[in-house]
Amino acid sequence: MLAALLVLISWQVAVDGPLLAVDPAVRDAVRQVRRTLHSTLLNHLGVALSDLGGGVPAVPVLLAGAGLAAWLARRDGRPRWWTPVPVAVVAAVLIPLLVVPAKAWFARPGPFGVPLSADQWGWYPSGHTATSSIAYGTAALLLARVLPERSGPAVRWTAAGVCLGVGAGLVWSDFHWLLDVLASWCLAGLLLLALRALLPRLLPDPPGAPSAGPSGAPPA
């Protein structure tokens, strides 16, 4: 579903298709809400949430989370305890490798409708959304793999909340179209699902631990 939605949105952006009518409708509705509320606090919050999608702080958080996950894995005696660090590095490198060429190729103007200058990449897909989702999502999956089972969902939901906040802040602040954000969520979701499936092999359980069942949890 994520792949199909990403392909659909990308195709519509490439051909300037009718689906893009969603974006100005959402932009105008958000602007009307902003004018009605006239809340400086909400406007500052939108910018602050958007900033969480920058390379700083997202990549340092990713690397710190990977370092903590590696330390916990080593403490538990897991084989290949160092795996979280290269996984985090690969995730950090993938972000610009996937996003920058797409921005340059689609060359989509932003919500203000100003034509792109020669030195601009374009707005599609959203780099801040992809950065936050891949960085925080990867860190959360790595930590959830080595933390006690009861702590894993809290870490994953916290990361998901931050990523949703970044996307909402970008749309609220007129920094991105809604479809830019949705496409980056789809892209990040595909990568995170692949990582979640691979993690049990990349970072095995400690020797003597109960083997995981089909759902990934130890059998009852």
Side-chain angles (χ1 to χ4, degrees), residues 16-31:
D16 197 20
L19 182 62
L20 299 192
V22 169
D23 279 335
V26 171
R27 177 199 61 191
D28 294 344
V30 170
R31 287 178 176 177

PDB file of all heavy atoms in Angstrom, residues 16-31:
ATOM      1  N   ASP A  16       1.679  16.652 -13.333  1.00  0.00           N
ATOM      2  CA  ASP A  16       0.801  17.732 -12.880  1.00  0.00           C
ATOM      3  C   ASP A  16      -0.663  17.277 -12.933  1.00  0.00           C
ATOM      4  O   ASP A  16      -1.533  17.950 -13.487  1.00  0.00           O
ATOM      5  CB  ASP A  16       1.003  18.982 -13.736  1.00  0.00           C
ATOM      6  CG  ASP A  16       0.439  20.226 -13.057  1.00  0.00           C
ATOM      7  OD1 ASP A  16       0.245  20.196 -11.830  1.00  0.00           O
ATOM      8  OD2 ASP A  16       0.175  21.219 -13.771  1.00  0.00           O
ATOM      9  N   GLY A  17      -0.925  16.104 -12.344  1.00  0.00           N
ATOM     10  CA  GLY A  17      -2.233  15.481 -12.424  1.00  0.00           C
ATOM     11  C   GLY A  17      -3.267  16.082 -11.497  1.00  0.00           C
ATOM     12  O   GLY A  17      -2.973  16.958 -10.666  1.00  0.00           O
ATOM     13  N   PRO A  18      -4.517  15.637 -11.622  1.00  0.00           N
ATOM     14  CA  PRO A  18      -5.620  16.211 -10.845  1.00  0.00           C
ATOM     15  C   PRO A  18      -5.502  15.996  -9.342  1.00  0.00           C
ATOM     16  O   PRO A  18      -6.075  16.758  -8.566  1.00  0.00           O
ATOM     17  CB  PRO A  18      -6.858  15.503 -11.408  1.00  0.00           C
ATOM     18  CG  PRO A  18      -6.350  14.247 -12.056  1.00  0.00           C
ATOM     19  CD  PRO A  18      -4.988  14.598 -12.568  1.00  0.00           C
ATOM     20  N   LEU A  19      -4.774  14.973  -8.918  1.00  0.00           N
ATOM     21  CA  LEU A  19      -4.618  14.739  -7.486  1.00  0.00           C
ATOM     22  C   LEU A  19      -3.946  15.923  -6.791  1.00  0.00           C
ATOM     23  O   LEU A  19      -4.167  16.160  -5.595  1.00  0.00           O
ATOM     24  CB  LEU A  19      -3.805  13.463  -7.256  1.00  0.00           C
ATOM     25  CG  LEU A  19      -3.583  13.036  -5.798  1.00  0.00           C
ATOM     26  CD1 LEU A  19      -4.920  12.745  -5.105  1.00  0.00           C
ATOM     27  CD2 LEU A  19      -2.674  11.813  -5.726  1.00  0.00           C
ATOM     28  N   LEU A  20      -3.166  16.688  -7.531  1.00  0.00           N
ATOM     29  CA  LEU A  20      -2.462  17.821  -6.935  1.00  0.00           C
ATOM     30  C   LEU A  20      -3.411  18.918  -6.472  1.00  0.00           C
ATOM     31  O   LEU A  20      -3.004  19.805  -5.714  1.00  0.00           O
ATOM     32  CB  LEU A  20      -1.457  18.412  -7.926  1.00  0.00           C
ATOM     33  CG  LEU A  20      -0.350  17.486  -8.416  1.00  0.00           C
ATOM     34  CD1 LEU A  20       0.718  18.280  -9.157  1.00  0.00           C
ATOM     35  CD2 LEU A  20       0.277  16.714  -7.273  1.00  0.00           C
ATOM     36  N   ALA A  21      -4.663  18.861  -6.893  1.00  0.00           N
ATOM     37  CA  ALA A  21      -5.636  19.850  -6.423  1.00  0.00           C
ATOM     38  C   ALA A  21      -5.847  19.760  -4.918  1.00  0.00           C
ATOM     39  O   ALA A  21      -6.308  20.727  -4.289  1.00  0.00           O
ATOM     40  CB  ALA A  21      -6.967  19.657  -7.148  1.00  0.00           C
ATOM     41  N   VAL A  22      -5.516  18.607  -4.351  1.00  0.00           N
ATOM     42  CA  VAL A  22      -5.619  18.459  -2.895  1.00  0.00           C
ATOM     43  C   VAL A  22      -4.716  19.466  -2.188  1.00  0.00           C
ATOM     44  O   VAL A  22      -5.084  20.029  -1.148  1.00  0.00           O
ATOM     45  CB  VAL A  22      -5.233  17.015  -2.487  1.00  0.00           C
ATOM     46  CG1 VAL A  22      -5.078  16.894  -0.972  1.00  0.00           C
ATOM     47  CG2 VAL A  22      -6.254  16.024  -3.013  1.00  0.00           C
ATOM     48  N   ASP A  23      -3.540  19.696  -2.734  1.00  0.00           N
ATOM     49  CA  ASP A  23      -2.550  20.524  -2.046  1.00  0.00           C
ATOM     50  C   ASP A  23      -2.983  21.976  -1.864  1.00  0.00           C
ATOM     51  O   ASP A  23      -2.947  22.488  -0.743  1.00  0.00           O
ATOM     52  CB  ASP A  23      -1.218  20.444  -2.774  1.00  0.00           C
ATOM     53  CG  ASP A  23      -0.449  19.184  -2.412  1.00  0.00           C
ATOM     54  OD1 ASP A  23      -0.679  18.635  -1.316  1.00  0.00           O
ATOM     55  OD2 ASP A  23       0.388  18.740  -3.215  1.00  0.00           O
ATOM     56  N   PRO A  24      -3.376  22.687  -2.917  1.00  0.00           N
ATOM     57  CA  PRO A  24      -3.825  24.063  -2.680  1.00  0.00           C
ATOM     58  C   PRO A  24      -5.076  24.149  -1.817  1.00  0.00           C
ATOM     59  O   PRO A  24      -5.248  25.114  -1.054  1.00  0.00           O
ATOM     60  CB  PRO A  24      -4.078  24.619  -4.092  1.00  0.00           C
ATOM     61  CG  PRO A  24      -4.158  23.445  -4.982  1.00  0.00           C
ATOM     62  CD  PRO A  24      -3.320  22.377  -4.357  1.00  0.00           C
ATOM     63  N   ALA A  25      -5.946  23.132  -1.903  1.00  0.00           N
ATOM     64  CA  ALA A  25      -7.144  23.137  -1.056  1.00  0.00           C
ATOM     65  C   ALA A  25      -6.754  23.044   0.419  1.00  0.00           C
ATOM     66  O   ALA A  25      -7.272  23.781   1.272  1.00  0.00           O
ATOM     67  CB  ALA A  25      -8.065  21.990  -1.442  1.00  0.00           C
ATOM     68  N   VAL A  26      -5.809  22.135   0.726  1.00  0.00           N
ATOM     69  CA  VAL A  26      -5.341  21.999   2.109  1.00  0.00           C
ATOM     70  C   VAL A  26      -4.587  23.251   2.533  1.00  0.00           C
ATOM     71  O   VAL A  26      -4.775  23.767   3.643  1.00  0.00           O
ATOM     72  CB  VAL A  26      -4.454  20.749   2.253  1.00  0.00           C
ATOM     73  CG1 VAL A  26      -3.781  20.721   3.629  1.00  0.00           C
ATOM     74  CG2 VAL A  26      -5.270  19.484   2.036  1.00  0.00           C
ATOM     75  N   ARG A  27      -3.730  23.766   1.664  1.00  0.00           N
ATOM     76  CA  ARG A  27      -2.971  24.985   1.992  1.00  0.00           C
ATOM     77  C   ARG A  27      -3.902  26.137   2.319  1.00  0.00           C
ATOM     78  O   ARG A  27      -3.730  26.846   3.324  1.00  0.00           O
ATOM     79  CB  ARG A  27      -2.075  25.369   0.814  1.00  0.00           C
ATOM     80  CG  ARG A  27      -1.283  26.662   1.020  1.00  0.00           C
ATOM     81  CD  ARG A  27      -0.807  27.227  -0.304  1.00  0.00           C
ATOM     82  NE  ARG A  27      -1.932  27.541  -1.174  1.00  0.00           N
ATOM     83  CZ  ARG A  27      -1.825  27.856  -2.463  1.00  0.00           C
ATOM     84  NH1 ARG A  27      -0.622  27.866  -3.024  1.00  0.00           N
ATOM     85  NH2 ARG A  27      -2.885  28.128  -3.188  1.00  0.00           N
ATOM     86  N   ASP A  28      -4.924  26.352   1.493  1.00  0.00           N
ATOM     87  CA  ASP A  28      -5.842  27.470   1.724  1.00  0.00           C
ATOM     88  C   ASP A  28      -6.651  27.268   2.998  1.00  0.00           C
ATOM     89  O   ASP A  28      -6.914  28.226   3.733  1.00  0.00           O
ATOM     90  CB  ASP A  28      -6.780  27.627   0.525  1.00  0.00           C
ATOM     91  CG  ASP A  28      -6.037  28.036  -0.740  1.00  0.00           C
ATOM     92  OD1 ASP A  28      -4.870  28.483  -0.620  1.00  0.00           O
ATOM     93  OD2 ASP A  28      -6.608  27.891  -1.845  1.00  0.00           O
ATOM     94  N   ALA A  29      -7.040  26.013   3.268  1.00  0.00           N
ATOM     95  CA  ALA A  29      -7.796  25.740   4.490  1.00  0.00           C
ATOM     96  C   ALA A  29      -6.938  25.994   5.721  1.00  0.00           C
ATOM     97  O   ALA A  29      -7.400  26.578   6.714  1.00  0.00           O
ATOM     98  CB  ALA A  29      -8.300  24.298   4.479  1.00  0.00           C
ATOM     99  N   VAL A  30      -5.683  25.577   5.673  1.00  0.00           N
ATOM    100  CA  VAL A  30      -4.779  25.803   6.806  1.00  0.00           C
ATOM    101  C   VAL A  30      -4.537  27.288   7.002  1.00  0.00           C
ATOM    102  O   VAL A  30      -4.520  27.796   8.139  1.00  0.00           O
ATOM    103  CB  VAL A  30      -3.451  25.056   6.581  1.00  0.00           C
ATOM    104  CG1 VAL A  30      -2.408  25.472   7.610  1.00  0.00           C
ATOM    105  CG2 VAL A  30      -3.678  23.546   6.651  1.00  0.00           C
ATOM    106  N   ARG A  31      -4.363  28.015   5.917  1.00  0.00           N
ATOM    107  CA  ARG A  31      -4.164  29.462   6.030  1.00  0.00           C
ATOM    108  C   ARG A  31      -5.379  30.136   6.659  1.00  0.00           C
ATOM    109  O   ARG A  31      -5.236  31.067   7.467  1.00  0.00           O
ATOM    110  CB  ARG A  31      -3.882  30.062   4.659  1.00  0.00           C
ATOM    111  CG  ARG A  31      -2.494  29.743   4.122  1.00  0.00           C
ATOM    112  CD  ARG A  31      -2.285  30.317   2.732  1.00  0.00           C
ATOM    113  NE  ARG A  31      -0.930  30.088   2.253  1.00  0.00           N
ATOM    114  CZ  ARG A  31      -0.503  30.438   1.043  1.00  0.00           C
ATOM    115  NH1 ARG A  31      -1.352  31.009   0.175  1.00  0.00           N
ATOM    116  NH2 ARG A  31       0.753  30.203   0.684  1.00  0.00           N
TER     117      ARG A  31
END
